[in-house]
């Protein structure tokens, strides 16, 4: 049974998705700012976030919010973590791959999650203990028992180019066994696709909470596991994340660990 909080998050995600789609044919006229080097945000990010916050505030006025564009507001154990447009770089270039990501954390633990792809009308949802779903159909992580033939997703984050040599070494090592590696530009969708078994595993360096809060619950509720590059379970404070089924995560941690610097292995 769908939980009320998920219904609220779904409404919020769909409202944001409507904003995102409305401006798709007007990308060249958007006001775009560079928050830091190669880190862009558009007025669509802000408008979509405002729609999400409005819906969440209406239903849960006492909950805290951590949003990518507007930051943190409120205090308490229950925190909504929002990425209004995960894949802004894709969106601004007209690449049709991006999503809305919303999660509710209870004392730091994700309990409800929504990842919405407005272009494909694919809605990924999860509630702690209730499983993960794609458009009301139960999803499960893949059954692959090792990296042989695996399809792995990753990203090369603009904020973490200091670790590029290490990540290229990790990628090279994984490709000696994996079928291929994909880099799509939306970590939330990468995690959702991992939960649905489209990808066998996912790893990335330096993600922010809003990039992964919803996606990791999808993976966990789909029967998978997530943690940091040293194999520690849970959302990594470092943002260095590995996700997939238990066998693939174990194999990825072993392969990545052999090429990770001490800085990348810190909690």
């Amino acid at each position: 049974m769908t939980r009320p909080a998920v219904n609220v998050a779904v409404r919020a995600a769909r409202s944001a998705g409507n904003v995102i789609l409305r401006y798709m044919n007007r990308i060249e006229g958007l006001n775009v700012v560079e928050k830091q080097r190669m880190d862009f945000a558009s007025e669509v990010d802000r408008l979509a976030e405002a729609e999400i916050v409005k819906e969440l505030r209406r239903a849960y006025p006492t909950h805290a919010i951590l949003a990518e564009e507007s930051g943190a507001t409120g205090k308490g154990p229950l925190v909504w973590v929002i990425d209004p447009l995960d894949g802004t770089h894709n969106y601004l270039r007209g690449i049709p791959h991006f999503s809305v990501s919303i999660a509710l954390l209870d004392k730091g633990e994700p309990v409800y999650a929504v990842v919405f792809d407005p272009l494909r009308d694919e809605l990924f949802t999860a509630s702690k203990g209730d499983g993960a779903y794609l458009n009301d159909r139960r999803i499960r992580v893949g059954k692959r028992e090792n990296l042989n033939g695996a399809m792995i997703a990753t990203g090369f984050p603009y904020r973490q180019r200091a670790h590029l040599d290490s990540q290229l070494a990790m990628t090279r090592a994984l490709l000696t066994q994996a079928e291929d590696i994909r880099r799509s530009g939306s970590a939330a969708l990468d995690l959702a696709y991992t939960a649905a078994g489209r990808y066998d595993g996912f790893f990335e360096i330096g993600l922010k909470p809003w990039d992964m809060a919803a996606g990791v619950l999808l993976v966990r509720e789909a029967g998978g596991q997530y943690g940091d590059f040293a194999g520690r379970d849970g959302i990594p404070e470092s943002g260095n994340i590995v996700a997939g089924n238990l066998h693939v995560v174990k194999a990825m941690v072993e392969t990545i660990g052999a090429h990770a610097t001490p800085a990348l292995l810190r909690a």
Side-chain angles (χ1 to χ4, degrees):
M1 186 176 69
T2 304
R3 303 286 184 166
V6 172
N7 288 332
V8 171
V10 166
R11 285 200 304 270
R14 288 196 179 277
S15 294
N18 289 337
V19 171
I20 291 166
L21 295 180
R22 190 182 311 137
Y23 282 86
M24 271 202 71
N25 294 325
R26 292 181 266 172
I27 291 173
E28 292 183 358
L30 293 178
N31 180 32
V32 179
V33 297
E34 188 171 9
K35 296 186 289 186
Q36 54 182 301
R37 182 175 179 270
M38 292 187 289
D39 185 2
F40 298 98
S42 73
E43 59 188 296
V44 174
D45 296 72
R46 292 185 289 274
L47 290 169
E49 185 172 290
E51 286 294 315
I52 296 169
V53 171
K54 181 176 68 176
E55 290 287 345
L56 298 179
R57 284 273 181 244
R58 181 183 295 136
Y60 302 106
T62 63
H63 288 188
I65 289 177
L66 174 62
E68 180 176 11
E69 304 307 325
S70 57
T73 56
K75 292 183 178 180
L78 296 171
V79 182
W80 289 98
V81 182
I82 303 166
D83 192 336
L85 178 50
D86 187 56
T88 298
H89 289 237
N90 283 349
Y91 183 79
L92 293 176
R93 291 177 174 270
I95 299 170
H97 193 78
F98 42 79
S99 62
V100 180
S101 177
I102 304 172
L104 180 63
L105 273 57
D106 184 356
K107 298 177 182 176
E109 181 75 17
V111 290
Y112 300 113
V114 170
V115 173
F116 179 50
D117 178 345
L119 275 176
R120 298 173 183 83
D121 195 28
E122 288 195 329
L123 183 69
F124 299 86
T125 60
S127 301
K128 185 178 180 181
D130 288 347
Y133 296 83
L134 167 54
N135 293 346
D136 299 321
R137 177 179 59 83
R138 185 75 179 260
I139 55 176
R140 299 288 295 179
V141 292
K143 297 180 180 180
R144 198 167 298 278
E145 295 186 358
N146 49 51
L147 289 175
N148 293 331
M151 180 69 73
I152 306 296
T154 192
F156 294 93
Y158 35 81
R159 291 184 295 260
Q160 302 290 336
R161 293 293 163 84
H163 299 298
L164 187 58
D165 288 345
S166 292
Q167 186 164 18
L168 290 174
M170 296 171 193
T171 303
R172 186 181 301 110
L174 289 168
L175 279 173
T176 62
Q177 301 176 69
E179 175 187 333
D180 208 344
I181 290 181
R182 294 284 185 268
R183 193 268 186 264
S184 70
S186 171
L189 281 179
D190 286 344
L191 286 162
Y193 282 17
T194 301
R198 295 174 178 175
Y199 293 141
D200 296 299
F202 168 72
F203 77 103
E204 190 162 336
I205 292 171
L207 290 182
K208 297 296 185 182
W210 46 78
D211 297 318
M212 54 185 170
V216 295
L217 182 61
L218 288 169
V219 170
R220 175 66 56 81
E221 289 300 317
Q225 182 181 7
Y226 62 89
D228 65 14
F229 285 3
R232 290 177 288 255
D233 193 38
I235 297 178
E237 289 188 18
S238 64
N240 305 329
I241 188 169
V242 177
N245 73 30
L246 274 61
H247 300 296
V248 171
V249 166
K250 182 175 183 293
M252 289 179 70
V253 166
E254 291 174 356
T255 303
I256 286 170
H259 299 277
T261 63
L264 289 175
L265 293 173
R266 284 200 293 263

